Amino acid sequence: MSRGGRHAYAAISVLAAGALVLTGCSKGGSDSGNNDKKDKENAQRQQASIKFGDAKDSTGPAAAVPGAKTGGTMEVLQRDSYAHLDPAQIYVSDEGSVATLLHRGLTGYKATSNDGSKHEVVGDLATDSGTTTDGGKTWKYTLKDGIKFQDGTAITSKDVRHSVERLFAPFINQGPPYLQQWLADTPGADYRKLLKDGPYKGKHLPDSVLETPDAKTVVFHFKTAHPDLPYALAMAGYAVVSQKGDTKEKYDRASVAAGPYKIQSFKSGKSMVLVKNTSWDPKTDPIRHQYVDRFNFTFNQQYETSTKTLLADSGADQAGVSFNNQVDAGNLSKVLSDPKMKSRTVGGFQPYVGQMNINMSHPALKDKKIREAIAYALPITPFVRAYGGTDAMQVAGGLISPTVSGYDASFDPFGKIKKPAGDPVKAKALLKEAGKVGMKLTFGYINTPEGQQYSTAMAAGLKKAGFNVQRQEIPAETYYDQVSKLDNNYDIFHTAWGADWPSASTVIPPVFDGRAIADGAQNYSQVNDPHVNSEIDRVNKITDPVKSAAGWEKIDQYLVKEVVNVVPTAYYKQIQIAGSKVGGLAYDDVIGGIDPRRLFVK
């Protein structure tokens, strides 16, 4: 899923952890110099397998957080407002974080250690993580007793059916595609043909696909085995929606909660208040807590602003935190070098890979020489520097993160690891060969301080190679909505994608399958390469995890080197801080940031 973009980074399939060699990059900002070993261990850990829990593992309440207290108000400082609160539309990291407090699905990730490094997939609304007797073609779930929406309505299999069927409706276009594609047994966007209008015109999925024989039972039937279903169902995008409370498009601003908190007020771009959901029963929930009385969200808090506020640690902000803002580049060294900040600081390697998309739908960019010129010219140093240097980023060679099996540290076809400042001379030669020196490039960039900084410097690097670069700002709140439009006018723009569980099957197909090109979908570069499409189908059928990982890496290398529809920029890390009165602070590998479910006010 993207970061500031997509990533619901759910979990981990049964994967073999490969050897990792994290390569260095030129210093573009802060660099403490002491984190390489820790980063490597962190990345390797995230490749490990997460087990499926049984009924005992799935029984609430969640294990108490050491020292936790009930009560108090927590201030949450966020850069971006939430464009989507309908779970079916949630596929970005910041919305995924708040969804952990609001929404519940059939399965979920339970932290089994207090540092956020160990997890298991358990039944959330279901009594266990699911049962299959045929290798993953048929999955059965039984709902728990006592599960309710915020209005007190019992959650039944009718709500689950409705939640699944509405995924096929045209207005649901921002969430994950896995379950829909698996049920329809088709790649890309063709799954919508299975139930074109969702459930809203009286039609339903047949029992041969989705069976709900009684109020407590849900059975999924697939033509092809999908042993990863418990991981997929743990994503925020597959949380349960109230059939009674479904307001279609309006649900995106006022969704009905099943989790420990509900929305009291939401002013887009300004503020949001979450209060306790009194219909939530902790006995049914093995994952979440309800320690804090109230969360006050303030939006438009840039990284520098939130960092300075939390460093000041005064007044109400002593109980302040940001679910997603990282420490800004200017303060990163200060935070990491101050021993007093250690108890208020958390961090980790994330599964995100940044990439500069080249819009393949634009006629001028269909010339491979021009795309190669962009790839050679594009400087990565400004991007790394904008976010804090090598403590926050590592220059990327490919599209598969060090946290995902199949990662190849030696792959670097455009020499970005060796020459992160770019190669304008080689780029200009290619541009001359194409007869396009002076060609206009519209560079869409996210309107944040970091986006302003890196886009200005990146544009300068492209200009050295002979491009006429025109920067065009895009509001942060709607950035991914804008760049995922098929008719957008941006020639290049940056996105970041994180594996939904550490298999590249959750990287290559959703982002690069040409059959998935659609408004709101995640094939941002609009690449439609027949070889990539056929290889996706072939590798998807490989059941051996080691062979599968190798297959995905071959597609990764073909895309970057031969198709050149994207230019990898960086692998992400993140450092976050909180006020001195914030308890339960932990960086969760699955969430890819601070875990909101365990926070309390000291």
Side-chain angles (χ1 to χ4, degrees), residues 10 36 53 94 133 211 238 268 280 393 409 450 489 495 568 572:
D36 287 351
D94 52 354
T133 56
E211 195 177 355
Y238 295 128
S268 182
W280 174 78
M393 297 277 175
E450 293 78 16
N489 67 335
T495 59
Y572 285 53

Side-chain angles (χ1 to χ4, degrees), residues 529-548:
D529 185 277
H531 176 70
V532 171
N533 296 347
S534 63
E535 280 296 281
I536 285 172
D537 291 344
R538 183 185 70 82
V539 179
N540 258 329
K541 294 174 183 176
I542 299 174
T543 56
D544 182 283
V546 176
K547 291 180 180 178
S548 174

